[in-house]
Amino acid sequence: MQHELDGQTLISNFFRLIGLLNEKDNLTIHYDYGDGWEFKLHVQKIQPVTNEELPYVQKARGYGIIEDIGGVGGLEQYYDDYQQGQVDPEFLDWLGGEAIDLNAVDIDELNDLPHHF
């Protein structure tokens, strides 16, 4: 089964969506149509939870997107520049003064995000 939702619809219908998923389903999420982000998720396992529990990330790879970077092409350019230690100083200012390591992921931070919605 293939599900396709934009980012806003995913958040607003999150719990309804979870009830529709089955193990081995693939989920494609389209986010920020201007930049054209597309995320593909694969449901490996579904476990029963109580009403107080939220779904959580067990495993992830990479930082993810940087808002308004210019889509996949902009992110690829940033990654290449970062790997070579040549991130444009103006771009660093835009990032808040610090370069972002796109190979790093903070699973605790990811799992804390749903608590803020």
Side-chain angles (χ1 to χ4, degrees):
M1 174 184 248
Q2 186 79 15
H3 302 282
E4 293 197 28
L5 297 172
D6 62 64
Q8 287 289 37
T9 304
L10 176 64
I11 290 181
S12 64
N13 295 310
F14 187 71
F15 291 105
R16 182 184 64 79
L17 173 70
I18 295 301
L20 296 174
L21 295 174
N22 297 298
E23 289 184 9
K24 302 196 189 237
D25 276 355
N26 294 306
L27 178 68
T28 300
I29 300 170
H30 298 273
Y31 173 76
D32 189 356
Y33 291 105
D35 281 346
W37 298 107
E38 184 177 288
F39 301 90
K40 295 183 185 279
L41 306 172
H42 177 74
V43 178
Q44 294 182 338
K45 185 176 181 181
I46 296 177
Q47 299 175 194
V49 296
T50 68
N51 288 340
E52 292 81 37
E53 292 178 295
L54 293 172
Y56 60 94
V57 176
Q58 290 183 322
K59 206 164 43 166
R61 183 177 54 194
Y63 178 83
I65 67 170
I66 298 173
E67 288 288 343
D68 300 324
I69 197 168
V72 174
L75 191 64
E76 287 175 338
Q77 182 64 52
Y78 171 79
Y79 183 79
D80 291 344
D81 292 348
Y82 177 83
Q83 292 296 92
Q84 297 171 17
Q86 300 175 352
V87 178
D88 183 310
E90 287 182 28
F91 195 72
L92 280 177
D93 285 342
W94 182 75
L95 290 174
E98 263 187 68
I100 297 172
D101 180 358
L102 297 179
N103 293 313
V105 64
D106 185 338
I107 290 179
D108 291 333
E109 181 180 344
L110 290 175
N111 286 321
D112 188 48
L113 287 174
H115 298 282
H116 299 284
F117 287 100

